[in-house]
Amino acid sequence: MTHPSGTLKLGAFLSGHGSHNASWRLPEADVDASRSFAPYARVAQKLEQGLFDAIFLNDSVAIPDLDADSLARTAQGMRWDPLTLLPALAVVTSRIGLISTANTTYNEPYTLARRLASLDHLSAGRAGWNLVTSLGGGENFNREDHVLHAQRYQRAEEFFDVITGLWDSWEDDAFVQDKQSGIWADPAKIHRLDHKGTHFSVQGPLNAARPVQGYPVIAQAGSSDDGRELAARTAEIIFTAAQTIDEALAFATDITARLGRYGRKRSDVRILPGISVYVGQDAEEARARYEALQDLLDPVSALKGISRFVNIGIDLWTLPLDEPVVLPAAIPVTNTHKSRQQLVIDLIRREQPTVRQLLRKMVAGGHRILFGSARDIADDFEHWFHAGAADGFNIMFPDLHGSVDRFVEEVVPELQRRGLFRTAYEGATLRDNLGLNRPDNRFTRPQPVTAVRN
Amino acid sequence: MTHPSGTLKLGAFLSGHGSHNASWRLPEADVDASRSFAPYARVAQKLEQGLFDAIFLNDSVAIPDLDADSLARTAQGMRWDPLTLLPALAVVTSRIGLISTANTTYNEPYTLARRLASLDHLSAGRAGWNLVTSLGGGENFNREDHVLHAQRYQRAEEFFDVITGLWDSWEDDAFVQDKQSGIWADPAKIHRLDHKGTHFSVQGPLNAARPVQGYPVIAQAGSSDDGRELAARTAEIIFTAAQTIDEALAFATDITARLGRYGRKRSDVRILPGISVYVGQDAEEARARYEALQDLLDPVSALKGISRFVNIGIDLWTLPLDEPVVLPAAIPVTNTHKSRQQLVIDLIRREQPTVRQLLRKMVAGGHRILFGSARDIADDFEHWFHAGAADGFNIMFPDLHGSVDRFVEEVVPELQRRGLFRTAYEGATLRDNLGLNRPDNRFTRPQPVTAVRN
């Protein structure tokens, strides 16, 4: 049976020294990967050699909120500004997509529209935007605290309308550019947005040509009810967390139902669960690589970070490592990670892990962790793909060296042998490679599409 | 006599297709220079071959406010986001400085601190920031109109304090990075800013290491009273407009007096007047190049743009081209270009130009225009430099091809022969090449320096 989206799509979710917090301690790790260009240039070129659809850069607008002891042990206080790193990576690559996380809570749409349009032009159509509402940071943006969840999502909805409206400012053929007559543009094809809403008042036009791809590819990771609704309306890539095929299928069914409300269909989106992959000659060697990395993690500071992140009302670091985790009677209400909190609660109820087991599960931020040979990994991917649980995966590489290299050199060829993955890039743009349509310009599309939100 | 700053410093002021609005019509011009990377990569490498101190990218956060007819004839509605273009240029160059204009009115200091710190790390210490309060754009940032002049400058002062405070978040030696012990950083060397001011409330720390240069080199172009005061307190490069040596000397004297109020001295700043340069085999050929470009300009739309820009209360495009310009009895109060308005009034009083002559003068935005052979240009530069009227120049190249190439190939060698310009880069960072000190970290400097502002 042919899968609706053809073959698997693969993103490489990157930040810092990799998705495992201790990876900077590996012998081959460049400790300055968050401020030295060479390690990221290398990994981007390796991923392009592996025909990945895109590099997917994570972001945060604050250092981790940890006590001094824990802060001393995490490398996550230093990070690249993703929209500064990606233009540089665009120069050393030619086909791989370049997706930046950027939040709608502490940015202005005009500024972000320019940055993303410029990146799309610079890379000749390889830009993507992972739209997030941010997991915090208000204290650095003139607020006492982080903006509340519901208000963030309202602002995100309006932000999306404004930023796409700004990208439509110039019609694709607005530029006459006739040296002879001196006519640069056709003013009838330049449009003011004149947006006046609850959160934004933006006149436009944008001072940039419409992106090569119309809009950069829109990615979304929110999995709460608000997050899913926003994804159904706006997202083309949905980056999700699922521990089981059943969870993933339920998520895809739910998203499909929501898509209909916005005149969209399942084939308009690519659902990519995050997954952390450890490749070895066999499962045992793969697990040994994972264990070696786990041994480099300081459990106390890691558990402090996880306790804050999942916010289930337990100070995990104060408990014996080999006792089971017991959920408190009252779970705190969270303003940030609604969906992640629920995922952890489900996991604790389902698997009844010890503190140590939960720590190991959560090292990948609640995403699935997979060990095995290239064939084992390919078996798993094939199973999920054919079950309709995933259109591909956003691979959360534990580090920037071995895990990337082995995936590209061993897993990619195995996926190709099975006809599950491309053997050459299909097109020149990220949109082409993902098999996504180029969006129409709202000022020229034959019939205006009205967003429905109930 | 040895000049206090050694040899001439040269910046290359760039935007769009060059500083002359008609330059996109030249046969060799790439009409897509504002969205295609290759033309800028070429010019950056050429300027580095010419040992320029820095590329200095202009910016604006709105399209020109013109009627449809004029908008049809200007290429200025499309531009790069400078902080997206510069990271890409960092990859194709290795020594030239990369200065971005960015405004303090419609940005947040935490966001801009990250972007500039990332650029400084990416380029190994070549970033600079041209601090402006913006010439407009409020309509794209939730405002009815542009923020008022005085309020913009108050915000700029506070923005500077916050952004430099954020750059000081991590001491230079805060990173222990000991793989063996797992200690990443020394928390005693990480500092919260806890700024609570009139315009900003920012906790920090920044999630980026201190820039390679401590701070990126700070440039400033404001020439009004508020602008000069801000420059005296903050700027290391002052980009100014002066038509005569006397004007430039008066400006330098004024700045020197103001510097004292902040415990700074003349050698802490580099004053670089803007200048548009046309190089030929002789003055006649140079002038012919200039005239050819002038002939490509539509006078009506150009005069509309200039009338808006200088705001002296005359609709220049409605007047006969060869009649003298007569100043009105009452000059309008301007909220944007206070210093540029005064410069034009002085020019009209001094030279009594016709409309056509004023148009030609103003093509370079009020900056001086110079024609001649390489020797003529070098004579002029030498004269200004030895008179103490300039530490160097910010060259406003009319286009991205001939004017850059001839300057690099003919004027630079002539300046070198006279001992006026470097024959190799002095150091690895922009700060090194400009001969500027690396700023201390406020959290570690021996004696705190208090800003004095009366």
Side-chain angles (χ1 to χ4, degrees):
Chain A
M1 193 190 81
T2 310
H3 198 274
S5 69
T7 50
L8 278 169
K9 307 303 175 192
L10 294 180
F13 181 87
L14 298 177
S15 77
H17 300 83
S19 68
H20 194 291
N21 286 347
S23 55
W24 69 270
R25 296 182 64 186
L26 290 171
E28 64 273 27
D30 181 334
V31 291
D32 286 329
S34 294
R35 56 173 162 173
S36 163
F37 180 56
Y40 267 89
R42 192 201 80 86
V43 85
Q45 290 174 331
K46 192 76 191 175
L47 290 163
E48 184 166 82
Q49 179 194 325
L51 304 174
F52 268 65
D53 289 83
I55 292 160
F56 193 111
L57 288 189
N58 189 17
D59 196 33
S60 164
V61 292
I63 71 161
D65 184 11
L66 293 169
D67 58 89
D69 261 14
S70 302
L71 204 51
R73 290 170 181 278
T74 178
Q76 296 184 305
M78 195 207 296
R79 64 167 70 233
W80 285 106
D81 174 59
L83 281 170
T84 303
L85 180 58
L86 289 176
L89 293 179
V91 177
V92 298
T93 57
S94 60
R95 305 300 288 279
I96 197 165
L98 306 163
I99 302 177
S100 178
T101 298
N103 77 72
T104 55
T105 304
Y106 305 116
N107 278 308
E108 287 293 328
Y110 197 92
T111 306
L112 195 59
R114 292 184 68 200
R115 295 182 76 179
L116 287 163
S118 281
L119 179 62
D120 204 48
H121 289 299
L122 184 75
S123 63
R126 297 187 283 137
W129 173 33
N130 179 33
L131 185 172
V132 300
T133 67
S134 189
L135 299 176
E139 68 278 10
N140 296 323
F141 294 90
N142 314 317
R143 290 180 172 271
E144 288 295 309
D145 209 340
H146 190 35
V147 178
L148 290 175
H149 189 270
Q151 200 196 332
R152 288 207 311 276
Y153 274 90
Q154 285 163 13
R155 181 175 159 118
E157 296 268 355
E158 191 179 331
F159 195 112
F160 178 80
D161 294 338
V162 175
I163 199 169
T164 52
L166 288 170
W167 285 326
D168 286 339
S169 295
W170 301 74
E171 295 184 29
D172 293 318
D173 60 352
F175 300 97
V176 180
Q177 298 180 321
D178 180 25
K179 291 182 177 183
Q180 207 55 43
S181 66
I183 300 295
W184 169 261
D186 177 354
K189 295 183 174 174
I190 311 172
H191 303 281
R192 261 170 64 160
L193 185 62
D194 286 326
H195 174 90
K196 285 194 189 298
T198 309
H199 296 90
F200 303 109
S201 168
V202 179
Q203 180 182 292
L206 190 68
N207 57 355
R210 195 161 189 257
V212 174
Q213 300 180 97
Y215 310 153
V217 172
I218 309 295
Q220 244 274 288
S223 294
S224 64
D225 186 62
D226 284 341
R228 290 175 187 211
E229 202 65 24
L230 181 62
R233 181 158 91 85
T234 67
E236 301 175 294
I237 292 174
I238 303 181
F239 173 33
T240 179
Q243 290 284 339
T244 66
I245 284 188
D246 285 349
E247 271 177 42
L249 283 172
F251 179 80
T253 303
D254 178 69
I255 289 289
T256 305
R258 294 176 194 251
L259 284 165
R261 298 187 205 168
Y262 304 100
R264 305 181 72 207
K265 48 191 194 305
R266 178 66 182 82
S267 60
D268 292 336
V269 300
R270 303 290 171 264
I271 300 180
L272 307 185
I275 187 166
S276 186
V277 175
Y278 292 81
V279 187
Q281 282 195 290
D282 50 34
E284 199 180 343
E285 193 203 323
R287 183 171 284 275
R289 295 171 65 86
Y290 166 74
E291 294 292 345
L293 208 40
Q294 288 300 90
D295 289 343
L296 294 175
L297 204 62
D298 173 57
V300 172
S301 57
L303 286 167
K304 283 181 182 169
I306 289 167
S307 298
R308 278 201 70 85
F309 181 64
V310 302
N311 191 22
I312 51 172
I314 315 178
D315 292 341
L316 292 164
W317 70 95
T318 63
L319 304 176
L321 279 169
D322 295 309
E323 298 277 315
V325 178
V326 180
L327 283 170
I331 307 271
V333 174
T334 178
N335 175 36
T336 52
H337 311 63
K338 283 194 188 298
S339 57
R340 199 54 47 89
Q341 187 194 55
Q342 192 58 50
L343 182 140
V344 172
I345 293 167
D346 293 347
L347 187 152
I348 293 170
R349 287 192 178 135
R350 188 174 65 240
E351 304 187 8
Q352 299 174 358
T354 62
V355 172
R356 192 191 305 275
Q357 285 164 341
L358 184 63
L359 164 62
R360 298 196 161 201
K361 285 272 180 195
M362 291 305 296
V363 159
H367 290 275
R368 201 156 62 100
I369 303 173
L370 191 60
F371 320 95
S373 66
R375 289 185 60 177
D376 297 335
I377 308 291
D379 284 348
D380 180 277
F381 281 17
E382 187 166 8
H383 185 46
W384 278 60
F385 186 57
H386 285 153
D391 299 322
F393 297 93
N394 210 2
I395 315 281
M396 312 180 76
F397 292 105
D399 74 310
L400 301 181
H401 290 265
S403 61
V404 176
D405 293 2
R406 292 197 74 159
F407 193 96
V408 167
E409 287 160 17
E410 300 174 30
V411 180
V412 166
E414 181 62 27
L415 293 170
Q416 289 169 329
R417 265 192 291 279
R418 300 179 187 203
L420 288 169
F421 192 58
R422 64 169 66 87
T423 52
Y425 282 107
E426 293 86 356
T429 70
L430 174 56
R431 214 166 259 290
D432 288 343
N433 290 317
L434 290 168
L436 295 167
N437 292 328
R438 188 174 188 275
D440 293 331
N441 188 317
R442 76 194 54 199
F443 296 108
T444 51
R445 68 165 66 108
Q447 301 199 332
V449 174
T450 311
V452 180
R453 179 84 167 95
N454 54 8
Chain B
M1 192 189 84
T2 309
H3 198 274
S5 68
T7 51
L8 276 169
K9 307 301 175 193
L10 294 180
F13 181 86
L14 297 178
S15 77
H17 299 84
S19 68
H20 194 290
N21 286 348
S23 54
W24 70 271
R25 296 182 66 186
L26 291 171
E28 66 273 27
D30 180 335
V31 291
D32 286 330
S34 295
R35 56 173 164 174
S36 164
F37 181 56
Y40 268 90
R42 191 201 81 86
V43 85
Q45 290 173 331
K46 192 75 191 176
L47 290 163
E48 184 166 83
Q49 179 194 324
L51 304 174
F52 268 65
D53 289 83
I55 292 160
F56 193 111
L57 288 190
N58 189 16
D59 195 33
S60 163
V61 293
I63 71 162
D65 184 11
L66 293 169
D67 58 89
D69 261 14
S70 301
L71 204 50
R73 292 171 181 278
T74 178
Q76 296 184 305
M78 195 207 296
R79 63 167 72 232
W80 286 105
D81 173 61
L83 281 171
T84 303
L85 181 57
L86 289 176
L89 293 179
V91 177
V92 299
T93 57
S94 60
R95 305 300 288 279
I96 197 166
L98 306 162
I99 302 177
S100 177
T101 298
N103 77 71
T104 55
T105 304
Y106 305 117
N107 278 307
E108 287 292 327
Y110 198 91
T111 307
L112 195 59
R114 293 185 68 200
R115 296 183 76 178
L116 288 163
S118 281
L119 179 62
D120 204 49
H121 289 300
L122 184 75
S123 63
R126 296 187 283 138
W129 173 32
N130 179 33
L131 185 172
V132 301
T133 68
S134 189
L135 299 177
E139 67 279 9
N140 295 323
F141 295 90
N142 315 316
R143 292 180 171 271
E144 288 295 309
D145 209 340
H146 190 36
V147 178
L148 290 175
H149 189 269
Q151 200 196 333
R152 289 206 311 276
Y153 274 90
Q154 285 162 14
R155 183 177 158 116
E157 296 268 357
E158 191 178 332
F159 195 112
F160 179 80
D161 295 338
V162 174
I163 199 169
T164 52
L166 288 170
W167 285 326
D168 286 339
S169 294
W170 301 73
E171 295 183 29
D172 292 317
D173 60 352
F175 300 97
V176 181
Q177 298 180 320
D178 180 25
K179 290 182 177 182
Q180 206 55 43
S181 66
I183 299 297
W184 169 261
D186 177 354
K189 295 182 175 174
I190 310 172
H191 304 280
R192 262 170 65 161
L193 186 62
D194 286 325
H195 175 91
K196 283 192 190 299
T198 308
H199 296 90
F200 304 108
S201 166
V202 179
Q203 180 182 291
L206 190 68
N207 56 355
R210 195 161 189 257
V212 173
Q213 300 180 96
Y215 310 153
V217 172
I218 309 295
Q220 245 273 289
S223 295
S224 64
D225 186 61
D226 284 341
R228 290 177 186 210
E229 202 65 24
L230 182 61
R233 180 157 93 84
T234 68
E236 301 175 293
I237 292 174
I238 302 180
F239 173 34
T240 180
Q243 290 284 339
T244 66
I245 285 188
D246 286 347
E247 269 177 44
L249 284 172
F251 179 80
T253 303
D254 179 69
I255 288 290
T256 305
R258 293 176 194 250
L259 284 166
R261 299 187 203 166
Y262 303 100
R264 304 182 72 207
K265 49 192 192 305
R266 178 67 182 84
S267 59
D268 293 336
V269 300
R270 303 290 170 266
I271 299 180
L272 308 185
I275 187 165
S276 186
V277 175
Y278 292 80
V279 188
Q281 282 194 290
D282 49 35
E284 198 180 344
E285 193 204 322
R287 182 172 285 273
R289 296 171 64 85
Y290 165 75
E291 294 293 344
L293 207 41
Q294 288 299 90
D295 288 344
L296 294 174
L297 204 62
D298 174 57
V300 172
S301 57
L303 286 167
K304 283 181 182 169
I306 290 167
S307 298
R308 278 201 72 83
F309 181 65
V310 303
N311 191 23
I312 51 172
I314 314 178
D315 292 341
L316 291 165
W317 69 95
T318 64
L319 304 177
L321 280 168
D322 294 308
E323 298 277 314
V325 179
V326 180
L327 283 170
I331 308 271
V333 174
T334 178
N335 174 36
T336 51
H337 312 61
K338 283 192 187 299
S339 57
R340 200 54 46 88
Q341 187 194 55
Q342 192 57 50
L343 181 140
V344 172
I345 293 167
D346 291 348
L347 187 152
I348 293 169
R349 288 193 177 131
R350 187 174 64 240
E351 304 187 10
Q352 300 175 356
T354 64
V355 172
R356 191 191 305 275
Q357 285 165 339
L358 184 64
L359 165 63
R360 299 197 158 201
K361 285 271 180 195
M362 290 306 295
V363 160
H367 291 275
R368 200 155 61 102
I369 303 174
L370 190 60
F371 321 94
S373 66
R375 289 184 59 176
D376 297 335
I377 309 290
D379 285 347
D380 181 277
F381 282 16
E382 187 166 8
H383 185 46
W384 278 61
F385 186 57
H386 285 155
D391 299 321
F393 298 93
N394 210 2
I395 315 282
M396 312 180 76
F397 292 105
D399 73 312
L400 301 180
H401 291 266
S403 62
V404 175
D405 294 2
R406 292 197 74 158
F407 192 96
V408 167
E409 288 160 16
E410 299 174 31
V411 181
V412 166
E414 180 62 27
L415 293 171
Q416 289 170 328
R417 264 192 293 278
R418 300 180 188 202
L420 287 169
F421 193 56
R422 66 169 66 87
T423 53
Y425 283 108
E426 293 86 355
T429 70
L430 174 56
R431 213 166 259 290
D432 288 343
N433 289 318
L434 290 169
L436 295 168
N437 292 329
R438 188 174 187 277
D440 294 331
N441 187 317
R442 76 194 55 199
F443 296 108
T444 50
R445 69 164 67 107
Q447 300 200 332
V449 174
T450 310
V452 181
R453 179 84 167 94
N454 54 7

